[in-house]
Amino acid sequence: MAVEKLAQGEAEAGLNALEGWQFDRDGVAMRKLFTFADFSQAWGFMNRVALLAEQQDHHPEWFNVYNRVDITLTTHDAGGLSQRDLRMARAIEALLA
């Protein structure tokens, strides 16, 4: 089943409902920087996100330096943002609630 790219208005509404997430790459991706107390907390967060990614079969692009984790989500098959990205972002946020 093909994954459909969100219309601009849908993508904007989805990002507005998520604290701290912003458009990236001219609107075809969404990104957020997470900051933790130390490397151990950042690494633990990345492990939990990795488990979510496997469950959802939707894997983030990410970068880690010490206590920071920079996550970018996009759906390459759709050529931009899809409901899969919004669902993954909500699940990531739920890890921190």
Side-chain angles (χ1 to χ4, degrees):
M1 184 162 107
V3 179
E4 292 188 27
K5 181 178 175 180
L6 294 173
Q8 184 65 26
E10 293 174 305
E12 288 173 2
L15 258 67
N16 287 338
L18 293 163
E19 186 176 333
W21 288 88
Q22 299 177 349
F23 283 112
D24 195 38
R25 300 183 191 159
D26 295 326
V28 299
M30 55 193 285
R31 180 179 181 187
K32 184 172 180 180
L33 177 65
F34 297 86
T35 304
F36 299 90
D38 56 29
F39 177 76
S40 181
Q41 285 186 7
W43 188 261
F45 171 73
M46 290 178 70
N47 283 326
R48 293 188 303 276
V49 172
L51 293 173
L52 283 175
E54 284 295 299
Q55 290 170 352
Q56 294 188 21
D57 191 28
H58 191 57
H59 302 87
E61 299 172 21
W62 54 12
F63 183 74
N64 165 247
V65 174
Y66 184 60
N67 68 333
R68 297 182 315 274
V69 179
D70 189 355
I71 296 180
T72 301
L73 299 173
T74 191
T75 303
H76 298 286
D77 293 345
L81 292 173
S82 73
Q83 285 295 335
R84 295 181 79 190
D85 301 302
L86 296 177
R87 186 171 39 252
M88 183 67 174
R90 287 190 298 267
I92 290 169
E93 291 297 326
L95 292 174
L96 301 171

